[in-house]
DNA sequence: AGACAAACCTGTCTGC
DNA sequence: TGCAGACAGGTTTGTC
């Protein structure tokens, strides 16, 4: 489900839990990503009576810092994960896997039908030592995106640029929707080998990535189906997508008579305009 | 090392 | 109406 704008939307809407005290932690007993069980005893120990100090984000990962604790809660939403808070007394939705009860009666719940996501602990201040976080590239919203650095990353691989963008080491946070959208805005064909891109085109791509993510964030993210923010609202950005899931529709560029084409790259749907986007 | 396919799991939609 | 098959916002693992 969620790419950077959706995860950032969740992070922002989680602001009301900052300062709240966690009192009890519950686990469904179902394994999450890679069929690994939640280390519920460690999670309980870290969360018990701990006050939420801050909610941070690294790429598509959410970190919940706890006052006075050496460990931080690390959440990845996978494809169908949701992190929401609920008022006191509201029933647990189906597929809830982790629940933190807050002292004021509210609860924070992680639900995930497909269980591709994960909830674990990382040592605070050493997040980057975690295997998944170690390889993350720059975060386009927090760090900005330097054209020369993007070019250098592209030079290291001959994979198609669309595929390279999905690997989080080049840029953190770009997923399947925004990879297609950014390549459209930069007028780059998704099958172009990454190492064939000139500095000028990398520069255009860097600008497009930042612009596309910021634009989606301003709409609260994209809800095709599952995505909702921590306070339960769907994102509005699906109404503003240029090419993603628009197969056969006219190219959004008014001066272009092309139609959006769908293809499969690395087993995942890609969308582009064959007239505007060149290799 | 780099590229690729398959795997993880459930829900929803399409077409017969 | 029922059922099979395709497909979904992500990441990891094994194989070549």
């Amino acid at each position: 489900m969620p790419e950077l704008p959706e995860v950032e939307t969740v992070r922002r809407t989680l602001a009301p839990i900052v300062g709240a005290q966690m009192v009890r932690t519950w686990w469904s007993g179902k394994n999450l990503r890679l069929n690994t069980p939640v280390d519920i005893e460690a999670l309980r120990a870290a969360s018990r009576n701990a006050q939420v100090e801050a909610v941070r984000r690294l790429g598509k990962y959410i970190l919940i810092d706890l006052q006075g604790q050496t460990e931080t809660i690390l959440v990845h939403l996978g494809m169908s994960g949701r992190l929401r808070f609920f008022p006191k007394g509201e029933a647990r939705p189906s597929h809830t896997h982790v629940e933190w009860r807050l002292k004021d009666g509210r609860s924070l719940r992680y639900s995930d039908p497909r269980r591709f996501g994960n909830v674990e602990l990382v040592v605070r201040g050493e997040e980057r030592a975690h295997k998944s976080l170690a390889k993350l590239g720059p975060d386009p919203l927090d760090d900005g995106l330097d054209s020369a650095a993007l070019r250098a990353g592209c030079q290291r691989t001959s994979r198609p640029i669309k595929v390279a963008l999905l690997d989080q080491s080049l840029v953190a946070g770009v997923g399947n929707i925004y990879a297609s959208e950014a390549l459209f805005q930069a007028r780059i064909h998704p099958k172009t080998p990454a190492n064939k891109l000139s500095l000028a085109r990398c520069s255009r791509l860097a600008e497009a990535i930042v612009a596309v993510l910021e634009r989606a964030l301003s709409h609260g993210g994209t809800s095709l189906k599952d995505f909702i923010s921590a306070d339960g609202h769907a994102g509005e950005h699906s109404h503003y997508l240029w090419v993603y899931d628009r197969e056969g529709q006219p190219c959004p560029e008014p001066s272009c008579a092309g139609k959006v084409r769908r293809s499969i790259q690395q087993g995942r749907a890609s969308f582009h305009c064959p007239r505007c986007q060149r290799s």
Side-chain angles (χ1 to χ4, degrees):
Chain A
M1 147 182 75
E3 305 182 34
L4 191 153
E6 292 75 38
V7 178
E8 176 61 15
T9 297
V10 170
R11 191 196 71 78
R12 292 183 182 182
T13 48
L14 277 175
I17 69 156
V18 172
Q21 191 179 359
M22 292 174 162
V23 290
R24 238 189 0 261
T25 307
W26 171 89
W27 172 43
S28 66
K30 293 259 187 125
N31 295 349
L32 298 180
R33 173 182 298 177
L34 299 176
N35 209 22
T36 47
V38 170
D39 188 348
I40 186 62
E41 289 315 318
L43 199 57
R44 278 199 182 116
S47 312
R48 185 173 296 124
N49 298 325
Q51 213 177 21
V52 176
E53 184 177 332
V55 184
R56 293 182 288 142
R57 179 186 59 76
L58 278 177
K60 300 175 191 172
Y61 291 82
I62 289 175
L63 296 114
I64 303 174
D65 291 328
L66 305 169
Q67 189 91 50
Q69 296 294 320
T70 55
E71 293 189 298
T72 283
I73 300 170
L74 178 68
V75 179
H76 192 285
L77 303 174
M79 293 277 259
S80 56
R82 289 176 174 180
L83 201 51
R84 289 185 64 187
F85 55 83
F86 293 81
K88 182 175 185 166
E90 196 157 318
R92 217 177 252 163
S94 52
H95 304 292
T96 298
H97 295 298
V98 180
E99 174 184 277
W100 293 270
R101 183 67 59 88
L102 305 179
K103 195 175 184 181
D104 60 17
R106 288 179 301 169
S107 49
L108 175 65
R109 289 167 176 156
Y110 175 77
S111 66
D112 186 359
R114 292 178 74 178
R115 286 184 274 135
F116 283 6
N118 205 10
V119 177
E120 58 192 310
L121 290 169
V122 289
V123 178
R124 187 166 170 180
E126 293 172 28
E127 295 87 5
R128 291 286 180 166
H130 184 281
K131 197 169 168 245
S132 311
L133 302 184
K135 66 170 178 216
L136 292 182
D139 186 295
L141 295 194
D142 286 356
D143 309 330
L145 201 48
D146 178 68
S147 325
L150 182 62
R151 175 97 196 288
C154 285
Q155 291 283 294
R156 273 185 257 114
T157 179
S158 60
R159 309 175 98 185
I161 184 61
K162 160 78 181 346
V163 172
L165 284 176
L166 294 184
D167 178 316
Q168 301 297 297
S169 59
L170 195 55
V171 179
V174 174
N176 205 38
I177 294 178
Y178 303 117
S180 281
E181 294 290 298
L183 288 169
F184 172 75
Q185 179 168 331
R187 301 297 190 260
I188 295 169
H189 195 288
K191 294 197 171 138
T192 312
N195 58 5
K196 292 283 169 57
L197 290 171
S198 66
L199 179 58
R201 302 188 89 200
C202 283
S203 172
R204 230 176 347 145
L205 180 56
E207 278 175 35
I209 289 169
V210 172
V212 160
L213 296 177
E214 283 182 345
R215 190 162 161 267
L217 182 57
S218 75
H219 295 132
T222 301
S223 295
L224 296 180
K225 209 163 88 65
D226 296 322
F227 172 70
I228 54 172
S229 60
D231 54 11
H233 296 292
E236 296 299 322
H237 191 64
S238 58
H239 306 302
Y240 303 92
L241 294 173
W242 290 311
V243 292
Y244 185 84
D245 210 13
R246 296 275 187 274
E247 183 183 18
Q249 295 187 32
C251 172
E253 170 60 52
S255 63
C256 175
K259 283 193 190 323
V260 174
R261 187 171 293 171
R262 179 182 192 269
S263 61
I264 301 292
Q265 289 182 273
Q266 236 196 197
R268 313 197 62 191
S270 275
F271 299 87
H272 73 282
C273 170
R275 293 181 67 140
C276 293
Q277 294 175 251
R278 301 294 172 154
S279 287

